[in-house]
Amino acid sequence: MNIKKCGIIGCGFVGSTTAFVLAGSGLFSEMVLIDINHEKAVGEAMDISHGVSFGSPVKIYAGDYSDLADCSLIIIAAGANQEQGQTRLDLINKNVTIFKSIVPNISAVNKNAILLVVTNPVDVLTYVTWKLSGFDKSRVIGSGTVLDTARLKYLTGEYLGVDYRSIHAFIIGEHGDSELAVWSSANVSGIDLDGFCTASGHAGGMQSIYSIYDKVKNSAYEIIKRKEATYYAIALAVRRITEAIVRDEHSVLPVTAYVDSHYGINDVFIGIPSIVGSNGVENVLDIPLSDSEAKALYASAETLKGIIKELDI
Ligand code: NAD
């Protein structure tokens, strides 16, 4: 296993932007790109390679599944993306079929990597990847609500006029319409949001803050309406998860993780704050939730379980 080598399957908007971001990260010395449209992977590898002399040395090439044998991390971003008016869950049948043609090829050559799923609907497809791969559940991760949480921090920081890195808050649950914001523990560097609004003279108080959740939830729809796809922020979210894995950071990130006997939820992959390190998901955390948040998380998990039950995997 080469800890400095990763594979990316799917070189569309998300996969190629992720490859570009990771190529500049210094985390890897070798990256293999795979796409059903091999020429697309070749073109992306050429384009990114032509810029690497401006950064750390990294070899990037278009390959096939045999090239994944020694990868420590394999990112899956292949499949259909949302069109205007589609929800993430609308993509399920198409992308499960695509995953059935991808995941067995990975496990045929590599049983020790960490698999990081980005394709939507990401929580359901992380479950599908776990089932199809036979990997330990801790080594199958989805990008979860890491992006949604970044959107929440950005928009809340913008509203309050403070550095978004000082906002501590999570979006959890499905990466999709049933996700929720955990406002009960949200804070600005230790100061609860309500107290911060009062102290800083934000007249709208918590009512205005609550409306930020709708903006977060609808972000992808708003971007897709204007430019057909979202890819920059998700690529940076994938980079953040990748850093936690490669550097064995034990970072708390709301990735899609296997949840069983937490929050009264069983047997589902869902976006939940988890400790992430070189072995993948090391621990799922039980963070304090208000009654309404706990109910919303349970309902989100039930939505995902209802879909998983119908799948032929
Ligand atoms: P895209 O259409 O630009 O790219 C998809 C790529 O997958 C294409 O290059 C296609 O050739 C390739 N592909 C299709 N079938 C394949 C197969 N069997 N094997 C290998 N490659 C195959 O789409 P995109 O905009 O890059 O989006 C990719 C996925 O990422 C979508 O499902 C999208 O919804 C999802 N996404 C997830 C998040 C997140 O937060 N998790 C954010 C943005 C997008």
Side-chain angles (χ1 to χ4, degrees):
M1 183 87 89
N2 180 350
I3 58 159
K4 300 290 281 178
K5 179 174 175 184
C6 85
I8 298 179
I9 305 174
C11 300
F13 288 118
V14 173
S16 60
T17 312
T18 299
F20 176 66
V21 166
L22 290 181
S25 71
L27 291 168
F28 298 106
S29 57
E30 192 173 336
M31 290 172 51
V32 54
L33 309 186
I34 297 176
D35 198 286
I36 197 164
N37 177 353
H38 183 69
E39 286 306 308
K40 170 93 165 101
V42 171
E44 297 295 354
M46 285 170 72
D47 196 6
I48 299 169
S49 299
H50 295 172
V52 296
S53 64
F54 299 112
S56 315
V58 52
K59 181 178 167 195
I60 303 160
Y61 56 95
D64 58 33
Y65 285 93
S66 64
D67 294 305
L68 298 177
D70 57 347
C71 286
S72 60
L73 177 72
I74 299 170
I75 297 164
I76 312 178
N81 62 5
Q82 280 169 274
E83 286 170 18
Q84 207 176 321
Q86 272 189 317
T87 70
R88 294 173 180 93
L89 294 177
D90 290 334
L91 304 171
I92 189 68
N93 292 330
K94 215 169 176 179
N95 285 344
V96 167
T97 304
I98 289 174
F99 270 49
K100 283 182 177 172
S101 74
I102 291 176
V103 179
N105 292 331
I106 300 174
S107 31
V109 295
N110 187 332
K111 291 188 167 49
N112 300 310
I114 289 176
L115 307 180
L116 174 54
V117 179
V118 187
T119 309
N120 278 320
V122 68
D123 307 289
V124 177
L125 288 173
T126 307
Y127 189 99
V128 168
T129 301
W130 171 53
K131 282 286 176 196
L132 294 175
S133 67
F135 277 38
D136 188 272
K137 41 192 165 301
S138 61
R139 302 186 78 80
V140 185
I141 304 176
S143 55
T145 46
V146 174
L147 169 59
D148 317 62
T149 295
R151 287 172 171 153
L152 180 73
K153 289 182 182 190
Y154 170 74
L155 292 169
T156 307
E158 201 182 42
Y159 173 74
L160 293 175
V162 289
D163 184 346
Y164 32 79
R165 294 171 302 176
S166 301
I167 308 291
H168 301 282
F170 286 115
I171 295 279
I172 62 172
E174 175 206 354
H175 169 60
D177 295 343
S178 69
E179 68 188 19
L180 61 133
V182 185
W183 292 121
S184 59
S185 58
N187 66 84
V188 184
S189 294
I191 308 165
D192 69 69
L193 284 186
D194 204 15
F196 191 90
C197 284
T198 309
S200 59
H202 276 83
M206 287 307 288
Q207 283 315 316
S208 303
I209 297 246
Y210 291 146
S211 68
I212 292 173
Y213 160 75
D214 290 313
K215 287 192 186 161
V216 170
K217 192 177 64 165
N218 295 326
S219 289
Y221 296 119
E222 289 297 324
I223 297 168
I224 288 166
K225 190 166 80 185
R226 292 169 171 87
K227 55 171 274 191
E228 290 173 18
T230 74
Y231 38 93
Y232 295 125
I234 180 60
L236 290 168
V238 170
R239 173 186 159 145
R240 180 66 200 99
I241 299 166
T242 301
E243 280 169 354
I245 295 168
V246 174
R247 296 182 186 153
D248 197 21
E249 288 180 357
H250 314 289
S251 295
V252 176
L253 295 168
V255 293
T256 301
Y258 185 72
V259 174
D260 202 37
S261 307
H262 293 269
Y263 308 95
I265 295 168
N266 295 303
D267 191 33
V268 73
F269 276 83
I270 193 165
I272 210 76
S274 306
I275 300 178
V276 180
S278 61
N279 291 316
V281 169
E282 295 170 352
N283 244 319
V284 167
L285 300 177
D286 286 276
I287 62 166
L289 297 177
S290 68
D291 286 350
S292 62
E293 289 162 357
K295 275 188 197 138
L297 179 61
Y298 188 83
S300 187
E302 287 297 302
T303 302
L304 294 172
K305 286 178 80 165
I307 290 160
I308 288 165
K309 214 167 57 189
E310 300 299 316
L311 296 177
D312 174 25
I313 46 169

